């Protein structure tokens, strides 16, 4: 325990994983590390457990959840896999790719997971802690980011503890997340087309090489997490493309722009992605009233970083 009435935090070792599995099987909610961010996990086949996720996060009911699976075989019991889905799974699973696929009527998932949609968002994560929890529980796990809805996603256990407080039953501490940005989300359509619903660690160019060009259609319907215009906010106004900062601004630097904290002095986008949310958490905790962020290149992984920053800056 850490402090009076604080949620228990355990290392993501054998004992911690066993405790997490016990809680999840009984309908509890547990913050678990993945390679992208910490997820707030609950068994996806329980209406009550999934409702606890929405309640703990203050998440709008129209925003569907990603379901994490331990294998492609488990995923195929939940969604309809065509050849494209199999190809993507072969190439990118386990890893930071989420596929939005047609939901099977036999899936037996809680209705709130899909927010009433005929599709389901599925991912097989690569982090050993989440893999161990999935294997031991033998359950599909709904697991959005382990933070209050709209806030900065957690890349360390302390971020989840600070954001969720006593609303979560257990936090598994697996250290800092390697990727630091939520998964890329791809929707595979019945007509053979596909759409990129969320930028992430897997670049759009990699997907185009496998699937061809995506359709460029904007739909008003929220089909997957991360599509809300206002998201990832540190609770302060954010100014983008700021090579210099005003006196009242916490400055997040990149490359030769030093800042109060630097995402990557060498200009490495992978390093910048892994540090982005940590920097936003630091900005939130600073005594500065505003935040300025140095320019970030927009190609490759920079597209995902800029996507998050744009949503964080939305008012």
């Amino acid at each position: 325990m850490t402090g009076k009435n604080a949620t228990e935090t355990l290392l993501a070792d054998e004992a911690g994983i066993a405790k997490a599995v016990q809680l999840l099987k009984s309908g509890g909610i547990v913050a678990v590390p993945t390679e992208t961010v910490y997820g707030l996990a609950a068994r996806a086949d329980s209406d009550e457990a999934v409702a606890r996720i929405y309640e703990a996060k203050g998440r709008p009911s129209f925003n569907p959840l990603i379901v994490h699976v331990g294998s492609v075989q488990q995923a195929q019991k939940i969604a309809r896999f065509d050849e494209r889905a199999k190809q993507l799974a072969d190439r990118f699973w386990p890893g930071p790719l989420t596929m939005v696929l047609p939901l099977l009527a036999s899936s037996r998932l809680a209705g709130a997971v899909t927010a009433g949609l005929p599709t389901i968002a599925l991912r097989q994560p690569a982090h050993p802690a989440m893999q161990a929890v999935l294997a031991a529980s033998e359950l599909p796990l709904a697991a959005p980011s382990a933070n209050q809805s709209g806030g900065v996603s957690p890349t360390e256990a302390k971020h989840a503890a600070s954001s969720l407080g006593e609303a979560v039953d257990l936090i598994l501490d697996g250290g800092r997340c390697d990727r630091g940005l939520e998964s890329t989300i791809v929707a595979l359509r019945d007509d053979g087309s596909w759409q990129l619903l969320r930028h992430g660690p897997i670049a759009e160019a990699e997907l185009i090489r496998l699937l061809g060009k995506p359709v460029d259609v904007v739909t008003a319907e929220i089909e997957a997490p991360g599509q809300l215009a206002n998201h990832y906010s540190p609770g302060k106004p954010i100014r983008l493309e700021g090579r210099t900062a005003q006196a009242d601004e916490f400055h997040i630097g990149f490359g030769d722009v030093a800042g109060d904290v630097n995402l990557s002095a060498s200009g490495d986008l992978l390093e910048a992605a892994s540090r982005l949310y940590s920097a936003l958490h630091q900005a939130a905790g600073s005594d500065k009233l505003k935040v300025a962020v140095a320019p970030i290149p927009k190609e490759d992984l920079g597209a995902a970083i800029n996507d998050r920053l744009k949503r964080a800056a939305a008012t």
Side-chain angles (χ1 to χ4, degrees):
M1 292 283 189
T2 56
K4 185 178 180 181
N5 295 326
T7 295
E8 186 175 22
T9 297
L10 296 177
L11 289 176
D13 55 15
E14 185 176 352
I17 288 166
K19 179 68 175 292
V21 170
Q22 177 188 20
L23 286 167
L24 289 165
K25 284 186 172 181
S26 64
I29 55 176
V30 179
V32 184
T34 78
E35 72 276 23
T36 56
V37 299
Y38 275 71
L40 182 57
R43 56 185 304 161
D45 60 353
S46 167
D47 290 320
E48 294 78 10
V50 171
R52 288 196 61 196
I53 289 179
Y54 280 94
E55 181 181 10
K57 286 178 60 68
R59 186 182 181 93
S61 61
F62 59 78
N63 198 3
L65 304 175
I66 292 174
V67 171
H68 295 67
V69 294
S71 66
V72 174
Q73 291 73 27
Q74 188 179 43
Q76 289 175 323
K77 296 178 180 178
I78 297 172
R80 188 170 75 246
F81 269 59
D82 61 14
E83 287 304 314
R84 298 171 301 162
K86 294 174 184 176
Q87 186 179 24
L88 288 173
D90 287 343
R91 174 67 180 84
F92 296 113
W93 279 9
L97 178 73
T98 294
M99 289 188 280
V100 175
L101 303 169
L103 178 69
L104 294 178
S106 58
S107 66
R108 298 181 180 178
L109 296 187
V113 167
T114 63
L117 295 170
T119 55
I120 183 72
L122 293 176
R123 181 165 92 88
Q124 183 186 4
H127 195 287
M130 181 59 116
Q131 287 186 328
V133 169
L134 286 163
S137 68
E138 298 183 331
L139 294 168
L141 297 175
S145 58
N147 60 281
Q148 285 292 309
S149 184
V152 182
S153 300
T155 54
E156 299 179 43
K158 65 181 181 181
H159 298 157
S162 175
S163 184
L164 294 175
E166 299 174 34
V168 60
D169 297 318
L170 176 70
I171 298 171
L172 279 185
D173 188 349
R176 179 178 292 181
C177 301
D178 291 337
R179 295 284 190 163
L181 287 181
E182 294 89 350
S183 60
T184 301
I185 302 182
V186 171
L188 300 181
R189 307 301 187 194
D190 285 335
D191 62 3
S193 66
W194 68 279
Q195 286 178 268
L196 180 66
L197 299 185
R198 181 173 74 186
H199 288 278
I202 295 172
E204 184 176 18
E206 294 184 74
L207 300 169
I208 290 173
R209 280 194 289 270
L210 285 176
L211 301 175
K213 289 187 178 181
V215 294
D216 187 19
V217 178
V218 177
T219 60
E221 193 170 48
I222 300 295
E223 295 182 89
Q227 291 186 275
L228 297 177
N230 190 350
H231 205 8
Y232 316 110
S233 173
K236 299 177 180 180
I238 295 180
R239 181 171 62 87
L240 305 180
E241 304 291 330
R243 294 195 64 86
T244 61
Q246 305 299 319
D248 61 347
E249 291 179 326
F250 182 92
H251 199 193
I252 298 175
F254 177 81
D256 60 1
V257 179
D260 295 301
V261 60
N262 195 296
L263 297 179
S264 175
S266 65
D268 185 302
L269 290 173
L270 184 61
E271 182 180 34
S274 70
R275 292 181 175 178
L276 176 61
Y277 291 145
S278 179
L280 288 173
H281 279 288
Q282 290 181 58
S286 75
D287 58 2
K288 300 293 180 66
L289 300 177
K290 302 176 183 179
V291 183
V293 185
I296 309 291
K298 294 177 172 59
E299 66 273 8
D300 300 324
L301 189 52
I305 296 172
N306 280 287
D307 171 74
R308 303 305 193 275
L309 288 170
K310 180 181 177 181
R311 294 175 194 275
T315 56

